[in-house]
Amino acid sequence: MPNVQFPNLYDNRKSDETMSQKPRIVITRRMTHAVMERARREFDAFIPDDDRMDGEAVLAKLEELNAEGLFFTSGTKLDAKTIARLPNSMRIAATCSVGYDHIDLAAAKARGLVVTNTPDVLTNATADLAFMLILCASRRAFEYERTMRQGWGRYYGMSEMLGIDVSNKTLGIIGMGRIGKAVARRARGFDMKVLYHNRKQATEAGEATYVANLHDMLKQADVVSLNLPAAPGGAPILDRAALVAMKPGAVVVNTARGSLIDEAALYEGLTNGRLYAAGLDVMAGEPNFDKRFAALNNVFLTPHMGSATVEARTAMGGKCLDNLAAVLSGGAPIDPV
Ligand code: 8YV
């Protein structure tokens, strides 16, 4: 009878040795197949079986594996307290997002932890979703969809259930970075006049017109799109005064962060007739958002899906792995924040 013990022991030891040569990383969410395959190939990677890992579970896994890198999303907060509890082995935190308001950058820097993000590769997907929200909010997509699912059965009259045109209107973009510019490019296809407000005048803004004063822009815009980063704990840029300054009947679209809008004032504007509609992909307090918005016919809602395409998420994952590989092999980060 062959003795199977030795070959087994030998195989186990061999695979342990091979694994220990690869950088040790923890991935907090399942990714597309291509990303997980590459992670398994190039790293000693922990990948969870579901998408429920919370902050404590992440810390425990980093500790258990003596991990050098973390691949995470905005669903995991890296605040100062969490950063203080990271194992000493940790060298890089690669967020699979362009936004980094879930990370205390000062605390990371003080601890010598490299932080990277995933710019560029989600620009088109997010701009597409912003435009989807502009169209869906302006053209009453939620109500039309609901009518169909309830059985339809009667033609609407010629003056019933009308939306408003997007074409030839004025779009006001707040935040003229990569995503803002991509929204502006799409708006040109709809013959929209594009205005933008930014901390400073942007380069390569095409035919979009810079408006230095936010309220001046809001007074002119039929549609307002938020495309700027949020500072952790920062005040909303669309505060009550800004919402009141908006052109009556305007549409508000947010694919950036919920904290950028005063939601109580937005709710009032949407229910007192001052605003025509809103398209919201992000909410303060998400994923447990203010459910009053879900009861409004003039709000089109999506659950933070700006970058949620196979192409964008695969490229984002690839960027995270590129950054982890670069830093854990002693090189410089490709996308430092
Ligand atoms: C992410 C995002 O999908 O990139 C961002 O900042 O908000 C989204 O693309 C989400 O944050 C998960 O990390």
Side-chain angles (χ1 to χ4, degrees):
M1 201 161 141
N3 186 341
V4 291
Q5 254 184 340
F6 289 107
N8 272 352
L9 276 176
Y10 176 72
D11 283 351
N12 285 342
R13 198 178 54 216
K14 196 172 108 190
S15 70
D16 282 346
E17 275 168 8
T18 316
M19 280 167 75
S20 67
Q21 286 160 11
K22 298 181 188 174
R24 296 179 304 278
I25 64 169
V26 168
I27 302 184
T28 61
R29 296 284 182 271
R30 291 173 302 175
M31 295 295 298
T32 58
H33 184 71
V35 174
M36 295 195 290
E37 284 264 282
R38 182 180 156 199
R40 289 193 187 100
R41 212 171 41 243
E42 296 178 19
F43 297 82
D44 180 358
F46 168 81
I47 305 174
D49 294 329
D50 58 36
D51 297 314
R52 286 199 288 263
M53 249 185 135
D54 63 11
E56 285 302 319
V58 171
L59 280 170
K61 196 47 91 176
L62 290 169
E63 188 78 50
E64 178 192 324
L65 301 184
N66 209 21
E68 300 155 290
L70 175 65
F71 176 136
F72 69 118
T73 70
S74 53
T76 303
K77 308 280 167 240
L78 271 201
D79 54 16
K81 269 195 195 152
T82 308
I83 290 172
R85 292 174 59 199
L86 291 174
N88 290 336
S89 51
M90 269 290 293
R91 290 158 58 194
I92 166 172
T95 182
C96 198
S97 61
V98 67
Y100 43 83
D101 51 315
H102 53 297
I103 307 166
D104 187 326
L105 288 182
K109 195 174 174 195
R111 188 203 172 281
L113 182 73
V114 175
V115 177
T116 62
N117 69 342
T118 62
D120 297 317
V121 290
L122 46 67
T123 298
N124 285 333
T126 307
D128 287 351
L129 190 96
F131 232 88
M132 177 184 125
L133 295 182
I134 291 171
L135 291 169
C136 288
S138 303
R139 295 298 301 270
R140 305 178 69 161
F142 162 67
E143 290 164 284
Y144 294 173
E145 169 75 0
R146 183 179 56 190
T147 295
M148 296 308 288
R149 288 181 195 268
Q150 288 174 348
W152 193 17
R154 165 184 89 77
Y155 281 118
Y156 284 117
M158 289 294 282
S159 61
E160 257 186 299
M161 269 286 193
L162 307 185
I164 52 172
D165 270 354
V166 169
S167 298
N168 293 306
K169 294 288 178 65
T170 298
L171 170 65
I173 295 175
I174 308 180
M176 201 58 156
R178 301 174 187 87
I179 298 172
K181 286 174 190 167
V183 173
R185 285 197 296 278
R186 283 151 180 76
R188 282 200 285 281
F190 285 80
D191 301 316
M192 296 183 92
K193 177 178 172 190
V194 182
L195 310 176
Y196 73 95
H197 171 76
N198 208 32
R199 271 171 308 171
K200 55 181 179 36
Q201 197 157 351
T203 54
E204 293 167 24
E207 287 154 28
T209 306
Y210 179 53
V211 185
N213 181 284
L214 174 64
H215 286 203
D216 285 349
M217 185 184 82
L218 295 176
K219 282 181 193 129
Q220 302 173 60
D222 300 295
V223 180
V224 172
S225 175
L226 286 159
N227 299 107
L228 71 164
I237 190 159
L238 273 194
D239 56 13
R240 183 170 294 274
L243 285 159
V244 168
M246 284 179 69
K247 188 171 172 178
V251 171
V252 178
V253 163
N254 191 4
T255 51
R257 287 292 181 266
S259 61
L260 295 166
I261 303 186
D262 175 341
E263 284 188 351
L266 176 67
Y267 183 83
E268 268 174 48
L270 287 165
T271 48
N272 68 16
R274 256 200 76 80
L275 297 174
Y276 182 75
L280 305 173
D281 183 49
V282 287
M283 310 285 293
E286 63 177 52
N288 301 305
F289 70 104
D290 181 346
K291 302 299 184 300
R292 291 180 308 158
F293 285 96
L296 300 182
N297 286 338
N298 58 345
V299 177
F300 192 88
L301 296 166
T302 50
H304 198 147
M305 304 307 273
S307 67
T309 67
V310 174
E311 294 88 345
R313 288 280 168 84
T314 301
M316 289 162 75
K319 247 185 188 297
C320 281
L321 296 179
D322 290 345
N323 278 291
L324 287 157
V327 171
L328 297 180
S329 64
I334 301 155
D335 305 288
V337 296

